[in-house]
Amino acid sequence: MTSDTRPLRADAERNRVRIVVAAREVFAAHGLSVTLDDVARSAGVGVGTVYRRFPNKEALVIAVFDHVLDEITTLLDKTAADEDAWRGLTGLITAIAERQAADRGLFDLCTNADFGQADRIAEHFIPAADSLVARAKAQGALRDDFAAPDIGPLLMMVAATAEMTRTLDPDLWRRYLALLLDGIRAGATTPLPGPTPTHAEMQTVMHCSSSRQP
Amino acid sequence: MTSDTRPLRADAERNRVRIVVAAREVFAAHGLSVTLDDVARSAGVGVGTVYRRFPNKEALVIAVFDHVLDEITTLLDKTAADEDAWRGLTGLITAIAERQAADRGLFDLCTNADFGQADRIAEHFIPAADSLVARAKAQGALRDDFAAPDIGPLLMMVAATAEMTRTLDPDLWRRYLALLLDGIRAGATTPLPGPTPTHAEMQTVMHCSSSRQP
DNA sequence: ACGAAAGTGGAGGGAACCTCTCCGTATTTA
DNA sequence: TAAATACGGAGAGGTTCCCTCCACTTTCGT
């Protein structure tokens, strides 16, 4: 499809790499809202150079996260195959939380419709979540009123604490994840209130964390 | 201290009230980031009128939330006095979560250093939290490795889900609060990882959710 | 009922920020 | 060494927001 054009000139290729590396760091530290000027400065090149290589910000974001997203989808498939479903489920949640805690940009990508990469994850996430949740319940490890679409909000909660406490202790989010995991274990004392959400509902709702209303 | 000047003219007072009422609604629906132009439009007055009555946005915010903050501090004192400490603790958390879920502006106010009202809450929150946590542990209802400063992040997590799922179901946050409360109950299966945070640490860290770094 | 005092609306000044383009200059490559 | 390619960064053009200014309107005491 994308016919590979002639290779870049040596200095151009060098700069392209510097831009992607710098973008990865800046996005991780400050989220996707940073300016391409910031990225350029951090990479030690001019903005013009960034825009020649990447037609717009979105293209750069995708270039930076394409690999990470692949990593996550394979991770989803892999943890879903764990025969100990509880271990698989907690492993899945922990692994995603770990990546989001270490990379603000990844969190933005997962919760921002603007970059349209969320579906790519959902495609692997939904089957994995469904399978793990069903099997973990069957194995008696997961409370019965928990549903697969609850995983999204769970991750959102952990990401919120990670974001908040990052400067204090970059691992403090694990404390609150542990609380949540104890909360979803089988043998719950309080039945969950309200209706059980669906995947579709959660998907629509996840993509407007920081949107505006008219 | 603030010598009450001569009373406002009738129409001026009428408009002042309309502004505060409109601001309350707009802040609740969209958070403190709305423009004073938005408030003015919603109140049916010109921006100039808003600025004559309130020297700047912060003054309006304080006028709107002064009463709510008082309400919360008395609520803190009251729940802290409950002899059933678990009931007091969950009541406190639920009550604050309820208010934050219903009012985006209140959440912003609690987590945004810019408006300098957070200390006013902390003054009542810290003693209440300390007392309830200590007593709930003594009564065997609360897990031993939970600490009073953990309540902040807990509320932050619930607020994050409330914000996210508001359009889907304005009460869905209760589901995730229930999970968390089950997670902090005595009889936990996994000990919490990492060091226990302090009030001071949490305070510094709560006030920079949406800040920028240089 | 009239005039001074108080209040009003909303255009727009000024500042900050962002994305992206343009073009004179510099580097690479054949 | 010349043609092709790439570079930097000023700045165009757009948006957003806070707040001011002032010609016009309303209130209220006398």
Side-chain angles (χ1 to χ4, degrees):
Chain A
M1 309 302 173
T2 55
S3 64
D4 45 349
T5 71
R6 87 176 50 175
L8 289 177
R9 222 172 68 177
D11 54 345
E13 174 59 23
R14 204 184 314 131
N15 278 337
R16 206 196 62 85
V17 172
R18 290 172 67 183
I19 290 167
V20 172
V21 169
R24 193 182 345 268
E25 287 167 6
V26 178
F27 286 152
H30 307 291
L32 299 186
S33 65
V34 292
T35 307
L36 284 209
D37 288 66
D38 294 332
V39 174
R41 198 178 322 115
S42 169
V45 303
V47 227
T49 305
V50 176
Y51 277 99
R52 163 142 341 94
R53 216 46 69 205
F54 303 93
N56 51 44
K57 191 176 180 174
E58 191 182 322
L60 176 58
V61 168
I62 292 177
V64 165
F65 286 100
D66 194 62
H67 177 249
V68 178
L69 255 47
D70 277 347
E71 211 175 274
I72 290 181
T73 55
T74 61
L75 180 137
L76 287 168
D77 297 342
K78 208 172 59 187
T79 55
D82 195 326
E83 65 180 31
D84 179 341
W86 173 260
R87 187 178 58 197
L89 182 62
T90 57
L92 181 155
I93 293 172
T94 308
I96 295 184
E98 247 160 17
R99 281 170 172 72
Q100 287 189 338
D103 192 332
R104 256 183 89 154
L106 179 60
F107 175 71
D108 288 354
L109 197 65
C110 294
T111 56
N112 231 312
D114 303 352
F115 295 94
Q117 298 296 294
D119 296 341
R120 212 168 125 189
I121 292 186
E123 211 171 301
H124 293 248
F125 174 81
I126 293 177
D130 283 343
S131 154
L132 285 171
V133 165
R135 287 166 45 226
K137 282 185 192 171
Q139 291 171 13
L142 180 65
R143 58 191 292 167
D144 261 319
D145 51 4
F146 188 84
D150 289 321
I151 298 176
L154 230 69
L155 285 170
M156 176 72 100
M157 289 195 263
V158 178
T161 59
E163 169 108 32
M164 177 177 100
T165 60
R166 170 173 298 143
T167 56
L168 171 60
D169 173 355
D171 274 326
L172 195 55
W173 59 270
R174 293 180 191 276
R175 185 175 176 88
Y176 304 105
L177 173 58
L179 286 180
L180 275 171
L181 292 182
D182 273 355
I184 69 172
R185 268 208 155 75
T189 49
T190 343
L192 295 182
T196 308
T198 69
H199 280 303
E201 288 171 341
M202 276 308 159
Q203 267 184 288
T204 60
V205 125
M206 289 274 277
H207 305 333
C208 47
S209 306
S210 50
S211 297
R212 63 268 113 208
Q213 277 100 319
Chain B
M1 307 307 173
T2 54
S3 63
D4 45 349
T5 69
R6 88 176 48 175
L8 289 177
R9 224 172 65 178
D11 55 344
E13 174 58 23
R14 204 184 314 129
N15 278 338
R16 205 196 62 86
V17 171
R18 290 173 67 184
I19 290 167
V20 172
V21 169
R24 193 185 341 273
E25 286 167 8
V26 178
F27 286 153
H30 307 292
L32 299 186
S33 64
V34 292
T35 306
L36 283 210
D37 288 64
D38 294 332
V39 174
R41 198 178 322 115
S42 169
V45 303
V47 227
T49 306
V50 176
Y51 278 99
R52 171 177 330 284
R53 215 48 66 205
F54 303 94
N56 52 43
K57 191 175 179 176
E58 191 182 322
L60 176 58
V61 168
I62 291 177
V64 166
F65 286 101
D66 195 62
H67 177 249
V68 177
L69 255 45
D70 276 348
E71 211 176 274
I72 290 181
T73 54
T74 62
L75 181 138
L76 287 169
D77 297 342
K78 207 173 59 187
T79 56
D82 195 325
E83 65 179 32
D84 179 341
W86 174 260
R87 188 179 55 197
L89 182 62
T90 57
L92 182 154
I93 292 174
T94 307
I96 295 184
E98 248 160 15
R99 281 171 172 73
Q100 288 190 339
D103 192 333
R104 253 182 91 154
L106 179 60
F107 175 71
D108 289 353
L109 196 66
C110 294
T111 56
N112 232 313
D114 304 352
F115 295 94
Q117 299 296 295
D119 295 341
R120 212 168 126 188
I121 292 186
E123 211 172 302
H124 293 249
F125 174 81
I126 293 178
D130 282 342
S131 154
L132 285 171
V133 165
R135 286 165 46 226
K137 281 185 193 173
Q139 292 171 12
L142 179 65
R143 58 191 292 168
D144 261 318
D145 50 4
F146 187 84
D150 289 320
I151 298 175
L154 229 70
L155 285 170
M156 174 72 97
M157 288 195 266
V158 178
T161 60
E163 169 110 346
M164 178 177 99
T165 61
R166 170 173 297 142
T167 57
L168 171 60
D169 173 355
D171 275 325
L172 196 55
W173 60 270
R174 293 180 192 275
R175 186 174 176 87
Y176 303 105
L177 173 58
L179 287 180
L180 275 171
L181 292 182
D182 273 354
I184 69 172
R185 269 209 154 77
T189 50
T190 343
L192 294 181
T196 307
T198 69
H199 280 303
E201 287 171 341
M202 275 308 159
Q203 267 184 288
T204 61
V205 125
M206 289 274 277
H207 305 334
C208 47
S209 304
S210 52
S211 298
R212 63 269 112 205
Q213 278 98 321

